[in-house]
Every structure is written in structure tokens, then in C-alpha cells.
Amino acid sequence: MSDARDTITLAHGGGGRATRSLIEGTILRHFGKPDPKGLQDHAELSPPPGHRIAFTTDSFVVQPLFFPGGDIGKLAINGTVNDLAVSGAIPQVLSCGLILEEGLELSVLEQVIASMATAATKAQVQIVTGDIKVVEKGAADQLFINTAGIGFLPENRNITSWRAEVGDAVLVNHFLGDHGAAIVDARGELSLQIPVESDCQPLNGLIAEMLTVCPEIHCLRDATRGGIATVLNEFAQDSGVCIHLWEQQISVREVVQGVCEILGLDPLYLANEGTLVALVPADQAEAVLSAMCAHPAGQHSCQIGVVSESPKGRVILQTAFGGERVVDVLYGEQLPRIC
């Protein structure tokens, strides 16, 4: 049976002895103490000469907290690392903001914090500042996390959604929809005979290899909420081009396809948490694909389409049966609380 010592109480958010005990006894035990002079309200950063600063933030409210292949802590680290990495920045430091519901078991919080520490080590970033707030029972759903991140951007790097050019190759690094299907499985909405794990992983190492062989990557994005369909529509509209996809080249695991057919979902719109989409010059596509396939995060990389001139602002899928259909932007989200 648990008691107040085993769960989060409002005192843990009061800023006094209980807060400090939680920080030192649970948080810093896993994150470490980044400032040797003691806990400060800020962290100091010095970008190397010739670099710009990239800054991003994201909040994570996934339900359930733990799912096949990951948890909310791993998701919070990799999500922010990847948002920096797809801009071409080199992720450096992260903040960690925790919203805790009164009654959350300390063992659950510690499991999440340990997972964040492991993910940060793997992504080669430091967690250097943070905040804790505790809200009354019923005012939140166990645990929410906000992570903000800073990375250093080389001066000549220019990866944006409006740089797509006719002839560009469309590349992806992974099967589509694993994260969305894993969340469905974790919620118990289906009894899958072959459970699938989330693709949650850091992409900064893979992207560094891609940029080494092709510094002129035009567009790059991690395909999270809204899937690759949303990302490619943004590229097409921002750049004023058409993107043609080849259905036969798009890889979706059989179990994920089965989930989509049962629930009426389209894998092009399913969330991913370790899958990127890149538009690269045609004459460099083969070299980039080779570099991607040689990296652990890109072993399933392939080309799934090409950029053409018209119809501008559209994504067109060439189906396996020889027809075509427009891949439009969804108004909402197929699955809520996915990340």
C-alpha cells in the first residue's frame, strides 16, 4: 500500500524542503548536476564562432505514459532533439518542465526520469535546467512534460520547407506508422497478435551522416503528428511544387497495415517519432540513401517519390493499381494524445 511518501503531493510543488528533496533525490540523481557551483535559475551557453542558435520547444501529453518501444520521457527527449536536428542544427542542451498530478506514484516518476536520462545520453545532449509544478488530483492526467532545446546551426546551413526543387528525390528512413500503432496497442483498443513497437529514436546522428555527403539537403522534417502526408503537403505548398509518391515503394509493416484497415486509418497520416522525410537533389539521392542505410536509424531507408512542377501545392499518390489520388491535409488528428 502506498502512502504520502510514495506519491506526489502538493508539497512537492511548494518550492520548499519537499521540492528540493524531490529534485535532489529523484531528478538530479538521474540527470546529474550540470552547474558545479550549485543549482541556478539559468544555464549559460556559448555558441562556437560562425554558428547561429536554433531554439525549439514541445509539450508531451501522451496516454498511456508507457507504451511498446518507449514512454513519455523518451518521447520528450527525442521529440525535441529531432525538432532541432531537422533544421540542420546540432542539438546541445534541453530544459525539462514537469507538470505532476497529486497522487502520482514516485516510482512512476522515477522510471520516466531515468528514461529521459538514458535518452539524453544516447542523443548526446544535456538537460541543464527545468521546473516542477504540482496540480491537484483531477487537474491533470498523471504527468505532462515540456522540453525546450537549443542547438548550434552552422552559418551556411539552410534547410527549409520552401526549398523543394523540381526533380528532388523524396526519401524516408523507416516504416510508416509504427508509433501510432504502438499507442493504439498500448491503449488496449485492439489485441494485436504481433505487437509493434514505437519508432521513437533520436535522428541527429543519422542527419549528421546525411549532411556529410549532401550539405545541400533542401527540405527535412520528422513526420510526427499528421504523418508524412502533412509534412509533404507543407513542403509542396511552401515551395509551390507537386510531390508525387509511389505507393509500391512506401513501407508499412503488415501489422500496422492491419491496424489501419480495422480502424479505418491511413498510414500516411499516422504519427511517427523516429521517421524523417527528406527532399534532396536527384544527383545526390543515391549517395544520401547509401549513408542513411549504413546508419542504425536508417536501415530501412528508401526513395518513395519525386518532386514535379505541377499541380503546384499538391501531393499525388500513384497507387499500386496504377491510379492516382490526392493526399490532402487532415483537418484534425486521427488519434488524440499520441505524443
Side-chain angles (χ1 to χ4, degrees), residues 184-252:
V184 170
D185 183 37
R187 288 175 180 170
E189 296 171 3
L190 290 174
S191 297
L192 300 177
Q193 294 182 344
I194 310 174
V196 62
E197 291 192 350
S198 168
D199 61 339
C200 184
Q201 61 178 337
L203 294 171
N204 50 330
L206 172 64
I207 292 171
E209 294 297 322
M210 295 168 66
L211 288 167
T212 297
V213 299
C214 181
E216 288 301 314
I217 291 175
H218 292 153
C219 304
L220 190 58
R221 190 74 61 78
D222 53 336
T224 54
R225 286 179 299 173
I228 68 165
T230 299
V231 169
L232 291 174
N233 268 284
E234 290 179 7
F235 291 167
Q237 292 168 15
D238 291 352
S239 298
V241 297
C242 176
I243 296 177
H244 277 90
L245 299 179
W246 309 322
E247 187 175 40
Q248 288 184 310
Q249 298 299 316
I250 297 174
S251 297
V252 181

Side-chain angles (χ1 to χ4, degrees), residues 29-105:
R29 189 152 56 84
H30 294 281
F31 288 177
K33 187 180 291 186
D35 186 343
K37 296 180 182 178
L39 295 175
Q40 306 296 321
D41 286 337
H42 69 283
E44 295 184 10
L45 304 175
S46 298
H51 286 66
R52 295 167 287 159
I53 290 178
F55 178 45
T56 188
T57 186
D58 206 345
S59 297
F60 298 86
V61 298
V62 66
Q63 185 57 239
L65 299 181
F66 301 92
F67 47 84
D71 56 75
I72 190 173
K74 181 180 180 182
L75 200 61
I77 298 297
N78 290 337
T80 296
V81 165
N82 292 345
D83 283 348
L84 288 170
V86 293
S87 75
I90 304 165
Q92 299 291 315
V93 295
L94 270 60
S95 69
C96 171
L98 301 172
I99 306 294
L100 310 178
E101 182 187 19
E102 181 186 17
L104 174 69
E105 293 182 10

Side-chain angles (χ1 to χ4, degrees), residues 239-276:
S239 298
V241 297
C242 176
I243 296 177
H244 277 90
L245 299 179
W246 309 322
E247 187 175 40
Q248 288 184 310
Q249 298 299 316
I250 297 174
S251 297
V252 181
R253 296 185 199 275
E254 187 176 350
V255 63
V256 174
Q257 189 66 53
V259 170
C260 289
E261 291 174 358
I262 292 171
L263 297 181
L265 306 176
D266 186 336
L268 296 178
Y269 296 94
L270 272 185
N272 312 276
E273 289 296 340
T275 299
L276 61 78

